Amino acid sequence: MRLSEAKTGEKVAVVKILGHGAFRKRMMEMGFVRGREITVLLHAPLLDPIKYSIMDYEVSLRRSEADLVEVKPLPVEESDRTRQHTDTIDCDDLPIDNPEHPGHGRNVINVALIGNPNCGKTSLFNIASGAREHVGNYSGVTVDAKAGHFRFKGYRINLVDLPGTYSLASYSPEELYVRRYLKNETPDVIVNVIDGSNLERNLYLTTELIDMDRSMVIALNMYDELQEKGMRLEYETLGKMIGVPVVPTTARTGEGIDRLFDTVIQVYEGTCEDVRHIHVHLGQELEKSVSALKDRIKTDDYIGRHFSPRYLAIKLLEGDREVEKLIGESPEAADIITLRDAEVTRLAEINGNDDIAALIAGEKYGFIAGALAETMEKEEVEKVTSTHIIDSIVTNKLFGFPLFFLIMFFIFWATFSVGSYPMEWIEDGVGWIGDLIRGAMPDGMLKDLIADGIIGGVGGVIVFLPNILILYACISFMEDSGYMARAAFIMDKLMHHIGLHGKSFIPLVMGFGCTVPSIMASRSIESSSSRFITILINPFISCSARLPLYVLLIGTFFPAHAALVFTGVYLVGILVAIFTARLLRRYYFKADVTPFVMELPPYRVPTMKTTLRHMWAKGEQYLRKMGGIILVGSIIVWALNYFPLHEDESAPETVLTTDDSTIDPARDSYLEMMGKAVNPVMQPLGFHWKATVAAIAGVPAKEIVVSTLGVLYTGQEEIDDNSLGARLTAPNPATGRPDFTAAAALSFMIFILLYCPCIATVTAIVKETGNIGYGIFSVVYNTVIAWIIGFAVYQIAILF
């Protein structure tokens, strides 16, 4: 808990000071050290400030300052015990309020992982904490902080994986997120993960962290790749030079992880000999300006509480808006900004109006080059790497696009064709279980619920698990190998023509898996207009939740051309997304002038373990849905179709109308009444009322579409093949022909592809855009577009 949360009269013990710089130093000087007892004396009339007793004297702290002191409550018997000579308590003996809550408990170290994109940060997080976060070999995978924890040598390590960032500026959402996290959370130790095969670029972020003067350890990751390139780095010497211990690691295999966290503990306990504070020298004139600003900022304890004065001075000279906003909260803001402006003018006169940020970056890279010149040896002969060879093919203007489309076609083919074999085995198993239930249980409502509602609904969806796993395995391999970044590279010009940024391509491809995380991944796009357009068109990219329907209908009606129809359905979604993007860019969002800057990481062969773990993580989510929303949805659909009960079900009356397509038994279940009430709107698309009901049921989650069809078409006339596909093509007892035709199936797939997103996706759209209007737009616009295109597809299809 924080000291500000303690009540009047309560006794607590100090665990740690979370503040920084002058504030932290002053608090420790006043006796706020680990284990020291504090008594809350009273709150001011307006509850701020608060008076405390410590070491037999009284001190007043503002609530904001007390909020930066982490404490533990003392048991009554412990706090009342008479102490002699000292009131320092062993914090290891204090009670644990909530052992699962980050920052609480004994011997807790809060660690933040910070590094460039593609440096292996999330891999290190996974192997250390046992978490299963997705690791992609391109920028923008981690778009939020991921938290985990583990026990190590008597400590609970709270580990936070922060978004990959190249610096601590406020240019991109990732940079802003990381800096605000460091300001608000103040981790005990920062683990700066750097890519050993690209040291010079990665160490730029290290210099900014050094400016912050935080407790830090460097994880020299991918150390094996550094050695394979013929490089030799004296990492211990480098660590002593920059005042930060360096530990070589290979997160992919787990090598060096234990040593890394041994070093984290040493830094936390203050026993690491390599730790010392240095300044990255910026040249004589820049240093004069930095020193002048730093000394002025030091006089204001409020400003220097979260960041070191030197870091703030450098960022002020760079014109960083976020730091200017922080400075603006100080009563001395006007004087500090005036001094900054004077220094900027002085530097401009000396350097001929050169950009100060560029001058600072140049000095930092000079510092890095000097440090590496002293500690690193590398081969003089430049080798032709496998990455260069592969790139010469996959990014070639002649082969790049055909190869990309060939890869996507292969993925669809594998998903359908390879997945069809295990799908049939599961389908036979589900059918066998259903027959077993029908034969073993007496007739009645419970039997119908289990056999038709649960087995028919959930079983109708679970058979597509192999297809889901194959799709995710393929997408995971593309992401982890580094090919996805190349796809974005070759697609940038095309994306620019349709009004999007090249980086938009990656979230859109991620949409083939699930729309919600792909919308969240759009945060990596710096341009707000491109980010919003990407979010709004993402639901048109067919997610894996729709996959069971495609496999069902394509396998039933188009088995001879499965991969072609599969690709065509996905292509329709892509074309509608392109049309919508152009529409939004032309009539709503202003032109995008954001440059395309994206790292192309080296190719890496994904490990089988990583690919399978990612694939199974998605399969596990799919199975959870089986026991959650799909099970509930199936039961609801069954109940609406089962009730109200009839006194005589044996001879249903047949109603004939002038329209052949509406001839059907006159059953008056709630579901049928609902379907027939809405079906006049959907009938021009070739929908039977059962198809209409399935589409409505799919609004909460698209997987429910197939489970609804499974419920509605269970109990049809006995046929040799009892699969759902066979039941869809079986003649309707009332009409003498099947409810689904090839044309109707095609129209139905297109409508489900394009109509309103699921509830989770709409929620993500509202959350990421901060505007409920975009969520409403997505529901209305997508449904209208789906109806128009579904109608056109059906009318054209029936001609053939």
Side-chain angles (χ1 to χ4, degrees):
M1 63 183 288
R2 302 297 172 90
L3 182 56
S4 60
E5 300 170 4
K7 298 179 174 59
T8 301
E10 187 174 0
K11 295 179 185 293
V12 295
V14 176
V15 175
K16 67 181 74 166
I17 306 297
L18 300 177
H20 182 73
F23 167 78
R24 187 171 188 268
K25 184 178 179 182
R26 181 67 184 276
M27 292 291 286
M28 294 174 70
E29 289 171 348
M30 293 175 68
F32 286 81
V33 294
R34 181 177 172 85
R36 186 69 64 179
E37 181 183 305
I38 305 173
T39 303
V40 185
L41 296 181
L42 59 87
H43 291 68
L46 297 178
L47 303 180
D48 198 11
I50 309 169
K51 186 163 73 170
Y52 302 95
S53 172
I54 181 173
M55 295 175 61
D56 297 324
Y57 77 93
E58 296 177 356
V59 61
S60 175
L61 296 178
R62 291 187 185 131
R63 182 174 290 274
S64 59
E65 294 165 341
D67 195 47
L68 293 173
V69 181
E70 186 175 323
V71 296
K72 293 293 298 183
L74 290 175
V76 175
E77 63 272 14
E78 179 72 14
S79 59
D80 288 344
R81 188 184 306 158
T82 302
R83 298 184 181 84
Q84 297 178 349
H85 308 299
T86 179
D87 59 349
T88 301
I89 304 152
D90 184 359
C91 283
D92 292 345
D93 294 332
L94 295 177
I96 299 175
D97 289 339
N98 181 359
E100 295 304 318
H101 190 280
H104 285 71
R106 53 192 171 191
N107 293 340
V108 175
I109 306 178
N110 296 316
V111 177
L113 299 179
I114 299 177
N116 286 193
N118 309 309
C119 67
K121 181 169 48 60
T122 304
S123 294
L124 193 152
F125 173 82
N126 285 344
I127 201 164
S129 67
R132 295 181 178 179
E133 294 303 331
H134 177 217
V135 182
N137 191 8
Y138 57 87
S139 173
V141 174
T142 309
V143 295
D144 208 342
K146 306 294 190 302
H149 67 270
F150 61 98
R151 294 282 178 181
F152 187 78
K153 297 191 176 179
Y155 282 92
R156 172 188 164 117
I157 309 290
N158 291 327
L159 201 59
V160 176
D161 176 24
L162 294 171
T165 177
Y166 294 106
S167 74
L168 295 176
S170 54
Y171 171 64
S172 72
E174 295 96 338
E175 293 168 347
L176 203 54
Y177 186 98
V178 171
R179 195 162 69 181
R180 286 177 177 172
Y181 179 89
L182 293 177
K183 173 180 178 291
N184 297 327
E185 301 300 329
T186 318
D188 300 315
V189 180
I190 291 171
V191 172
N192 177 208
V193 186
I194 65 176
D195 179 356
S197 64
N198 193 355
L199 282 173
E200 193 165 4
R201 208 272 320 285
N202 279 249
L203 283 170
Y204 183 84
L205 176 60
T206 306
T207 64
E208 294 208 307
L209 293 170
I210 290 173
D211 290 337
M212 280 190 169
D213 191 19
R214 296 291 181 91
S215 297
M216 182 166 63
V217 177
I218 291 176
L220 181 60
N221 201 29
M222 304 180 190
Y223 188 64
D224 55 335
E225 293 188 14
L226 180 147
Q227 294 174 313
E228 287 171 5
K229 287 186 174 182
M231 298 179 183
R232 180 176 174 272
L233 178 69
E234 297 176 8
Y235 56 86
E236 292 179 346
T237 304
L238 177 63
K240 288 181 172 64
M241 286 178 62
I242 64 178
V244 182
V246 179
V247 181
T249 62
T250 304
R252 182 170 52 87
T253 62
E255 185 178 348
I257 302 299
D258 285 351
R259 183 181 171 192
L260 172 66
F261 286 100
D262 279 334
T263 309
V264 166
I265 292 174
Q266 292 174 13
V267 170
Y268 176 73
E269 294 177 341
T271 60
C272 183
E273 296 179 355
D274 290 348
V275 174
R276 64 189 181 95
H277 180 55
I278 69 163
H279 286 168
V280 178
H281 191 71
L282 301 177
Q284 184 177 354
E285 298 302 329
L286 278 171
E287 284 294 339
K288 283 183 182 178
S289 297
V290 170
S291 296
L293 279 169
K294 179 184 70 175
D295 293 342
R296 183 66 185 85
I297 291 171
K298 275 184 178 179
T299 62
D300 191 321
D301 290 341
Y302 176 81
I303 299 176
R305 185 178 303 159
H306 298 285
F307 294 119
S308 72
R310 179 177 175 84
Y311 172 79
L312 294 174
I314 293 172
K315 288 301 173 185
L316 268 182
L317 288 173
E318 291 178 345
D320 190 289
R321 292 183 180 179
E322 191 77 3
V323 170
E324 288 180 355
K325 183 180 177 182
L326 176 64
I327 297 294
E329 298 174 2
S330 167
E332 308 296 327
D335 292 342
I336 296 173
I337 296 299
T338 300
L339 176 60
R340 190 278 307 270
D341 292 342
E343 292 299 328
V344 168
T345 301
R346 185 184 73 83
L347 290 171
E349 292 172 354
I350 295 172
N351 296 292
N353 294 318
D354 284 348
D355 181 47
I356 293 178
L359 291 173
I360 292 173
E363 292 291 343
K364 288 191 172 184
Y365 275 115
F367 170 84
I368 293 167
L372 292 179
E374 294 289 327
T375 58
M376 187 171 71
E377 297 178 4
K378 57 183 177 180
E379 294 181 358
E380 296 296 330
V381 181
E382 184 71 22
K383 292 183 178 179
V384 178
T385 65
S386 57
T387 292
H388 293 152
I389 297 172
I390 298 172
D391 271 349
S392 66
I393 300 171
V394 301
T395 63
N396 184 279
K397 62 181 180 181
L398 185 61
F399 303 118
F401 281 105
L403 187 61
F404 170 74
F405 290 117
L406 188 63
I407 290 172
M408 297 306 295
F409 184 84
F410 171 78
I411 290 175
F412 297 145
W413 172 84
T415 300
F416 183 85
S417 300
V418 178
S420 64
Y421 297 104
M423 184 187 79
E424 290 176 2
W425 303 333
I426 298 175
E427 195 170 57
D428 291 341
V430 169
W432 178 80
I433 293 173
D435 293 338
L436 187 67
I437 294 294
R438 292 184 186 93
M441 293 185 66
D443 291 341
M445 186 186 303
L446 182 60
K447 172 184 174 180
D448 292 340
L449 170 62
I450 296 175
D452 299 340
I454 297 175
I455 303 297
V458 177
V461 182
I462 201 171
V463 298
F464 302 104
L465 177 62
N467 309 92
I468 299 289
L469 294 178
I470 291 171
L471 177 66
Y472 271 113
C474 293
I475 292 177
S476 174
F477 187 88
M478 288 175 64
E479 292 174 348
D480 297 346
S481 66
Y483 176 73
M484 200 71 87
R486 272 69 183 183
F489 173 76
I490 65 175
M491 295 295 289
D492 177 60
K493 189 170 184 180
L494 178 61
M495 300 297 285
H496 185 70
H497 281 313
I498 66 176
L500 285 175
H501 195 275
K503 282 189 177 181
S504 299
F505 183 74
I506 290 174
L508 292 176
V509 173
M510 289 175 68
F512 288 126
C514 181
T515 309
V516 174
S518 66
I519 287 176
M520 295 173 64
S522 302
R523 296 177 191 173
S524 63
I525 304 169
E526 292 87 356
S527 165
S528 59
S529 62
S530 287
R531 185 165 64 250
F532 281 15
I533 293 175
T534 304
I535 288 170
L536 292 175
I537 68 173
N538 218 308
F540 292 122
I541 304 302
S542 186
C543 67
S544 61
R546 300 173 173 96
L547 183 61
L549 179 70
Y550 304 155
V551 175
L552 170 67
L553 296 183
I554 292 174
T556 302
F557 294 97
F558 311 101
H561 307 285
L564 190 62
V565 177
F566 225 107
T567 305
V569 171
Y570 277 81
L571 190 60
V572 169
I574 293 169
L575 292 175
V576 173
I578 292 172
F579 169 78
T580 304
R582 289 186 62 87
L583 209 63
L584 290 171
R585 178 65 74 188
R586 181 171 183 178
Y587 294 107
Y588 190 75
F589 292 101
K590 63 181 181 181
D592 181 17
V593 294
T594 306
F596 177 68
V597 181
M598 183 175 181
E599 180 186 359
L600 294 178
Y603 289 100
R604 296 185 174 97
V605 179
T607 63
M608 180 66 72
K609 181 180 178 181
T610 300
T611 301
L612 291 178
R613 184 169 62 182
H614 178 220
M615 178 187 73
W616 178 244
K618 297 302 179 182
E620 200 173 25
Q621 290 179 10
Y622 189 71
L623 289 175
R624 283 200 195 102
K625 284 186 177 182
M626 298 300 108
I629 188 170
I630 295 175
L631 174 61
V632 173
S634 298
I635 293 173
I636 292 172
V637 169
W638 172 85
L640 291 173
N641 193 46
Y642 192 82
F643 295 105
L645 295 172
H646 299 282
E647 292 183 4
D648 183 11
E649 290 276 352
S650 59
E653 179 186 356
T654 300
V655 174
L656 302 178
T657 69
T658 55
D659 185 352
D660 291 338
S661 63
T662 60
I663 303 174
D664 216 347
R667 296 182 59 244
D668 55 350
S669 71
Y670 297 126
L671 199 64
E672 184 169 350
M673 288 187 284
M674 181 196 308
K676 288 188 174 180
V678 179
N679 204 51
V681 178
M682 308 305 297
Q683 199 170 16
L685 281 67
F687 285 20
H688 185 271
W689 70 263
K690 292 181 180 179
T692 300
V693 168
I696 296 172
V699 172
K702 296 298 178 279
E703 292 95 341
I704 300 180
V705 174
V706 171
S707 69
T708 301
L709 291 175
V711 172
L712 292 174
Y713 284 94
T714 297
Q716 290 276 83
E717 289 289 321
E718 290 297 325
I719 52 179
D720 294 335
D721 184 355
N722 198 36
S723 66
L724 180 54
R727 297 199 299 271
L728 292 179
T729 56
N732 186 306
T735 64
R737 62 171 181 262
D739 297 336
F740 273 90
T741 62
L746 202 56
S747 170
F748 188 66
M749 284 190 291
I750 296 299
F751 185 82
I752 298 300
L753 163 70
L754 302 175
Y755 83 131
C756 74
C758 68
I759 292 174
T761 298
V762 175
T763 303
I765 290 172
V766 173
K767 181 181 177 182
E768 293 300 315
T769 60
N771 189 337
I772 194 173
Y774 288 122
I776 295 171
F777 168 82
S778 190
V779 170
V780 176
Y781 173 81
N782 291 24
T783 304
V784 171
I785 284 289
W787 192 97
I788 293 172
I789 297 178
F791 174 77
V793 166
Y794 180 69
Q795 297 302 322
I796 293 172
I798 58 177
L799 296 177
F800 299 96

